Amino acid sequence: MTRHSLLTPRGWLVFLAAGFVLIVLLPAANRLAAPGGWLYLPDYLVPLIGKYCCYAMLALAMDLIWGYAGILSLGQGAFFALGGYCMGMYLMRQIGDRGVYKNPVLPDFMVFLNWKELPWYWQGFDMFWFAALMVVLVPAALAFVLGWLAFRSRVTGVYLSIITQAMTFALMLAFFRNNMGFGGNNGLTDFKDLLGLQVQSPTTRVGLLIASAVGLGLSFLLCRWIVGSKLGRVCRALRDAESRVRFLGYSPTGAKLFVFVVAAMISGIAGALYVPQVGIINPGEFSPANSIEIAIWVAVGGRGTLVGAILGAFIVNAAKTWLTGAAPEVWLFFLGALFIVVTLLLPRGVLGVMRDWQTRRAASRATAVAAKPVEAT
Amino acid sequence: MNAIALADPIADTAMGDTLLYLEDVTVSFDGFKALNALSLAIGKGEMRTVIGPNGAGKTTMMDVITGKTRPDTGRVQFGDRIDLTRLDEAAVANLGIGRKFQKPTVFENLTVFENLELALKTSRGTFATLMARLDGTALRKIDEMLALIGLGGHKARSAGALSHGQKQWLEIGMLLLAEPQLLLLDEPVAGMTDIETEQTAKLFKELAGSHTLVVVEHDMQFVRELGVRVTVLHEGSVLAEGSLDHVQKNQRVVDVYLGR
């Protein structure tokens, strides 16, 4: 009880196996296997799986705040998009004079708008370390300010959901404006290279998949560590009886703010890993529907389990990839139906169903064992 | 009323150093005065029972003491110079004021052990909590408390699965682990069996002296069992004060409360 281990031995085994598949097997299947062979992983699947890993990070962040601390943020996509824009700004600066207008400093859209010099907030983004820092700090700062104001004023439940939803909507409208200096409607695209490597090359894509898988693994361990700590138990206590937590002398503001900021950081990193793999970031990423979708992934997988969030992100997004290809007009109906079915029939998500099934099997095995001696006599 | 109170035996023994002092506290909600110039003094180490009909202001009084409700006027002083009206719930709790709610409030999805772990007196800071580890002393304290509240065999169960009376005891155990000076107990024996009620009375009597207790209760049998000074609240102010026998003879108390 005193020493808390992050995962059970079996958990570590699954964790390492999943890591091995994502970091070693899949890249090897793409790079080493003969194209066309049954072991071969086609090039188009590499960024797709990398993208799923980024979504899974986002789902983890959502589960940390919603599943454990009861904060239903419907603006989590905003932190993802901000991290994405920070990475996009770095990638834009890397284009240099290879743009259409051949301007060595200004990105094409600024030249098009007749801007003469780089706005102050674009300074420094030509350096990777600076951009990487901003990927974490910008979402964290926004989460800190918003969270501090909301939690201190005891805004909870549906009101908090509405505020966060309004935040992401406001950001979307702001980023749509051309004179914000983020490329307006078109966003940032036409990326050339990242850390001197060609963004489009298959090798870089594999590298990005590995980076996303590592990011997912580290985020998972960080979240596990937080929810396994005493602070994690304070968060679960907050979800049950916030006033009791106050009367025990804990400040709910501090605990909530901590997980909210950590979740924003994870979301930002996920966005930064996502952008080079899809090759574009535009204000559509701030759309309120995106943030609601994140909550659906977590609900489908199973709230308050972390593993469920990862599962949910992979399952729903794989279904989305398949359905938007096979029958695009059905997708939104499917998503709506999924939410209703999960809420009504699977309140503990896919993972809950799997666990129930496991316990039932274990129980029936136990009765079978208990019944045996009777047969023998 | 003062003259009668002085003639009462318990009145003479009660006052030592004052730990909690309410003076002219008024709280109104939309014109309704939940507390109306309430004044009350509780001595250090004293146990006090507070009775009164529904709406007399008992719970509002607790809200004011614990920082949940700000009074419109009046002073609430803890110890020599701490003004409680300026503090929020968490700050008041950290001064050593524990509160038990009328409806037992435990963390249903945590185990009995985890409930007690969170209550244990430790640093409440966010980062200290993140890094906190249970040491041997802490484990021993939790085990002792489990034994005291009779939940030793239930420590791995989720608190939501306990009976009503067991939840009451768990909440009392949580309060005690926070090592408070002052305990505010809102109907602590509601839903308890007779035996549990008796045990609770015994526990409270043991705690008095080293702790200061304010017990709000409807169960007259329990109030009699505790046998301490009683304050009767009515319409937000003190109607009578003294031993239970003494206040039961008071005609106004009979009219507004006991007689009904």
Side-chain angles (χ1 to χ4, degrees), chain A residues 246-296:
Chain A
R246 285 182 205 281
F247 287 111
L248 279 181
Y250 295 95
S251 147
T253 310
K256 285 183 178 180
L257 204 52
F258 177 79
V259 289
F260 195 57
V261 169
V262 168
M265 288 173 163
I266 294 175
S267 307
I269 296 170
L273 288 165
Y274 170 86
V275 165
Q277 302 189 69
V278 297
I280 184 167
I281 173 83
N282 63 30
E285 292 298 337
F286 284 107
S287 113
N290 280 18
S291 292
I292 293 172
E293 228 175 276
I294 303 166
I296 298 181

Side-chain angles (χ1 to χ4, degrees), chain A residues 306-332:
Chain A
L306 297 183
V307 178
I310 298 176
L311 273 181
F314 273 90
I315 293 171
V316 178
N317 282 297
K320 183 178 184 175
T321 304
W322 174 68
L323 258 182
T324 46
E329 63 285 353
V330 180
W331 165 244
L332 280 178

Side-chain angles (χ1 to χ4, degrees), chain A:
Chain A
M1 241 349 159
T2 42
R3 296 237 356 214
H4 177 82
S5 53
L6 274 182
L7 294 171
T8 59
R10 217 177 116 237
W12 275 115
L13 210 66
V14 175
F15 177 80
L16 291 176
F20 183 74
V21 169
L22 286 172
I23 292 168
V24 180
L25 281 190
L26 291 183
N30 175 252
R31 298 279 73 211
L32 303 177
W38 64 276
L39 272 176
Y40 180 66
L41 183 74
D43 278 346
Y44 79 91
L45 279 180
V46 174
L48 192 68
I49 297 169
K51 209 171 84 173
Y52 292 170
C53 289
C54 298
Y55 287 150
M57 278 175 77
L58 195 49
L60 271 179
M62 185 71 182
D63 199 23
L64 179 66
I65 53 172
W66 183 34
Y68 287 89
I71 306 165
L72 177 54
S73 158
L74 290 182
Q76 210 55 26
F79 303 119
F80 180 80
L82 285 173
Y85 265 98
C86 288
M87 177 56 96
M89 286 160 82
Y90 164 75
L91 293 169
M92 290 306 272
R93 298 290 308 269
Q94 293 306 297
I95 298 172
D97 57 8
R98 286 169 291 174
V100 179
Y101 298 110
K102 313 277 183 233
N103 188 310
V105 178
L106 293 189
D108 278 348
F109 74 89
M110 290 188 191
V111 181
F112 184 76
L113 290 172
N114 248 332
W115 290 17
K116 293 298 171 228
E117 53 188 286
L118 208 60
W120 62 268
Y121 47 83
W122 273 77
Q123 303 294 341
F125 277 94
D126 51 334
M127 293 171 284
F128 183 78
W129 68 266
F130 181 80
L133 201 64
M134 289 302 126
V135 159
V136 181
L137 288 187
V138 171
L142 177 64
F144 185 84
V145 172
L146 186 84
W148 191 73
L149 291 172
F151 301 142
R152 199 189 51 131
S153 322
R154 304 192 181 180
V155 176
T156 53
V158 66
Y159 301 100
L160 192 94
S161 305
I162 293 169
I163 287 179
T164 49
Q165 181 99 105
M167 169 199 72
T168 194
F169 189 65
L171 282 170
M172 180 176 75
L173 296 181
F175 274 73
F176 263 128
R177 289 154 44 95
N178 275 328
N179 50 13
M180 270 287 278
F182 294 104
N185 195 13
N186 298 323
L188 310 175
T189 187
D190 272 339
F191 306 136
K192 302 282 191 255
D193 46 37
L194 166 69
L195 291 169
L197 303 163
Q198 261 195 304
V199 174
Q200 308 287 345
S201 89
T203 329
T204 312
R205 292 255 149 122
V206 167
L208 284 167
L209 166 64
I210 294 173
S212 307
V214 170
L216 175 60
L218 292 179
S219 309
F220 174 70
L221 292 180
L222 174 68
C223 290
R224 272 298 293 195
W225 178 67
I226 293 173
V227 303
S229 74
K230 190 174 170 190
L231 189 71
R233 289 188 282 282
V234 170
C235 286
R236 278 158 63 210
L238 275 173
R239 198 183 58 183
D240 286 354
E242 184 163 336
S243 60
R244 175 32 90 211
V245 176
R246 285 182 205 281
F247 287 111
L248 279 181
Y250 295 95
S251 147
T253 310
K256 285 183 178 180
L257 204 52
F258 177 79
V259 289
F260 195 57
V261 169
V262 168
M265 288 173 163
I266 294 175
S267 307
I269 296 170
L273 288 165
Y274 170 86
V275 165
Q277 302 189 69
V278 297
I280 184 167
I281 173 83
N282 63 30
E285 292 298 337
F286 284 107
S287 113
N290 280 18
S291 292
I292 293 172
E293 228 175 276
I294 303 166
I296 298 181
W297 306 339
V298 176
V300 168
R303 277 176 69 186
T305 57
L306 297 183
V307 178
I310 298 176
L311 273 181
F314 273 90
I315 293 171
V316 178
N317 282 297
K320 183 178 184 175
T321 304
W322 174 68
L323 258 182
T324 46
E329 63 285 353
V330 180
W331 165 244
L332 280 178
F333 292 102
F334 174 78
L335 195 66
L338 194 65
F339 199 42
I340 294 171
V341 168
V342 167
T343 313
L344 291 181
L345 304 177
L346 311 172
R348 290 168 54 228
V350 174
L351 200 73
V353 173
M354 279 162 62
R355 285 195 177 148
D356 284 349
W357 183 68
Q358 248 174 5
T359 2
R360 224 173 304 140
R361 213 177 47 162
S364 68
R365 203 182 297 146
T367 44
V369 170
K372 250 193 190 131
V374 184
E375 285 171 87
T377 49

Side-chain angles (χ1 to χ4, degrees), chain A residues 1-2 4 154 225-226 229-231 233-234 236-237 239-241 243-251 254-255 258, chain B residues 66 89-90 93-94 99-101 105 107-110 114 117-118 122 124 126-127 129-134 139 171:
Chain A
M1 241 349 159
T2 42
H4 177 82
R154 304 192 181 180
W225 178 67
I226 293 173
S229 74
K230 190 174 170 190
L231 189 71
R233 289 188 282 282
V234 170
R236 278 158 63 210
R239 198 183 58 183
D240 286 354
S243 60
R244 175 32 90 211
V245 176
R246 285 182 205 281
F247 287 111
L248 279 181
Y250 295 95
S251 147
F258 177 79
Chain B
T66 53
E89 295 99 315
N94 285 324
R99 176 177 184 180
K100 208 202 86 51
F101 292 91
T105 313
F107 307 124
E108 309 241 327
N109 286 308
L110 300 185
E114 289 170 334
E117 182 209 358
L118 292 191
T122 47
R124 288 332 196 198
T126 302
F127 286 97
T129 311
L130 183 66
M131 296 299 174
R133 288 282 172 273
L134 282 172
L139 279 176
E171 196 177 4

Side-chain angles (χ1 to χ4, degrees), chain B residues 7-253:
Chain B
D8 184 62
I10 291 182
D12 300 325
T13 57
M15 302 316 278
D17 289 342
T18 305
L19 182 68
L20 179 70
Y21 184 62
L22 281 77
E23 188 184 21
D24 274 334
V25 175
T26 299
V27 174
S28 46
F29 301 114
D30 297 326
F32 169 71
K33 283 191 172 162
L35 293 182
N36 189 3
L38 174 70
S39 294
L40 190 71
I42 312 278
K44 201 170 230 158
E46 186 188 348
M47 170 151 58
R48 175 78 61 94
T49 45
V50 177
I51 61 174
N54 285 327
K58 303 184 297 283
T59 302
T60 310
M61 180 188 81
M62 297 237 178
D63 287 347
V64 166
I65 298 170
T66 53
K68 191 178 177 212
T69 304
R70 299 251 174 283
D72 302 334
T73 56
R75 221 153 55 87
V76 182
Q77 191 178 308
F78 181 65
D80 287 335
R81 56 176 168 278
I82 302 164
D83 180 5
L84 293 181
T85 58
R86 293 165 187 276
L87 304 173
D88 69 1
E89 295 99 315
V92 170
N94 285 324
L95 284 175
I97 299 181
R99 176 177 184 180
K100 208 202 86 51
F101 292 91
Q102 192 170 348
K103 181 172 162 277
T105 313
V106 295
F107 307 124
E108 309 241 327
N109 286 308
L110 300 185
T111 64
V112 170
F113 181 90
E114 289 170 334
N115 268 276
L116 293 173
E117 182 209 358
L118 292 191
L120 198 67
K121 187 183 167 87
T122 47
S123 166
R124 288 332 196 198
T126 302
F127 286 97
T129 311
L130 183 66
M131 296 299 174
R133 288 282 172 273
L134 282 172
D135 57 12
T137 331
L139 279 176
R140 211 193 55 240
K141 279 185 186 167
I142 294 177
D143 279 336
E144 282 169 7
M145 188 52 67
L146 280 166
L148 181 71
I149 58 177
L151 294 174
H154 301 277
K155 74 184 211 181
R157 274 178 85 190
S158 74
L162 298 178
S163 75
H164 194 83
Q166 284 173 323
K167 282 183 196 167
Q168 298 272 43
W169 275 74
L170 176 57
E171 196 177 4
I172 292 169
M174 288 164 72
L175 291 193
L176 293 178
L177 271 181
E179 297 173 25
Q181 292 185 63
L182 172 65
L183 281 158
L184 304 169
L185 302 137
D186 205 345
E187 299 195 22
V189 297
M192 281 192 184
T193 63
D194 288 350
I195 297 167
E196 286 171 332
T197 306
E198 217 169 277
Q199 286 170 331
T200 309
K202 193 168 149 262
L203 174 67
F204 286 5
K205 282 185 204 163
E206 283 168 18
L207 291 173
S210 56
H211 299 73
T212 306
L213 293 90
V214 176
V215 184
V216 167
E217 195 44 78
H218 270 306
D219 182 339
M220 280 304 146
Q221 191 53 47
F222 183 66
V223 172
R224 181 163 298 285
E225 184 122 16
L226 292 178
V228 295
R229 194 175 164 90
V230 176
T231 298
V232 186
L233 290 191
H234 178 57
E235 292 177 349
S237 38
V238 177
L239 184 67
E241 211 165 80
S243 71
L244 184 60
D245 285 333
H246 167 73
V247 299
Q248 277 180 329
K249 281 184 211 129
N250 184 315
Q251 191 52 45
R252 290 190 59 208
V253 175

